Amino acid sequence: MPEHRVCIPTPLPDIAGRPRAEAREAVREALSSLSGAAISREAPEEFIIVRTTATLQSCDELAASGDGLAALSEEALVGCAYSCPVELNAVEGDVYLGFDTLTEQCAQGVRVCASGDLHWRP
């Protein structure tokens, strides 16, 4: 739903060379600044999957393409998380986003999550 997409620039810490647990905590702390961020002024009147994609690309670069999803570069993907199907107008609290992968290869799961292939059908 391109009309409901938003891009929120969030500086991520340099985690190169850090132990995995320390790197994960640094990224989690940086992303906590997104808590409570508005993702849509007017929620769609249907069940949707809320998805967040982390990329090294700038919001300006994604906006220039006219369709941020199509402009996502696989080489720049950092992560992706998504919700269960939810009707946002019925939610009175937080929407939990998680990431499950069916393989041991996280990169493959991130590519699928970030692509246009992640859909839910009632």
Side-chain angles (χ1 to χ4, degrees):
M1 304 178 109
E3 68 276 14
H4 292 286
R5 291 187 186 132
V6 296
C7 187
I8 305 170
T10 305
L12 295 174
D14 182 3
I15 58 171
R18 290 188 184 186
R20 187 175 184 89
E22 186 180 316
R24 184 174 37 235
E25 181 56 28
V27 171
R28 188 201 61 74
E29 190 174 308
L31 293 179
S32 69
S33 68
L34 297 175
S35 181
I39 59 170
S40 179
R41 290 193 173 129
E42 189 171 322
E45 294 287 336
E46 59 187 284
F47 279 89
I48 62 166
I49 295 174
V50 177
R51 174 179 39 208
T52 184
T53 303
T55 180
L56 298 176
Q57 294 170 273
S58 71
C59 289
D60 289 341
E61 182 181 345
L62 295 172
S65 75
D67 179 11
L69 188 61
L72 286 172
S73 165
E74 274 192 22
E75 294 78 28
L77 289 174
V78 176
C80 186
Y82 55 92
S83 72
C84 289
V86 61
E87 185 178 3
L88 292 175
N89 291 317
V91 174
E92 294 183 12
D94 295 334
V95 175
Y96 174 78
L97 302 181
F99 176 74
D100 294 316
T101 181
L102 300 177
T103 73
E104 293 296 320
Q105 297 180 1
C106 181
Q108 179 182 349
V110 170
R111 281 193 302 273
V112 171
C113 175
S115 76
D117 297 332
L118 183 65
H119 298 285
W120 174 75
R121 299 283 184 230

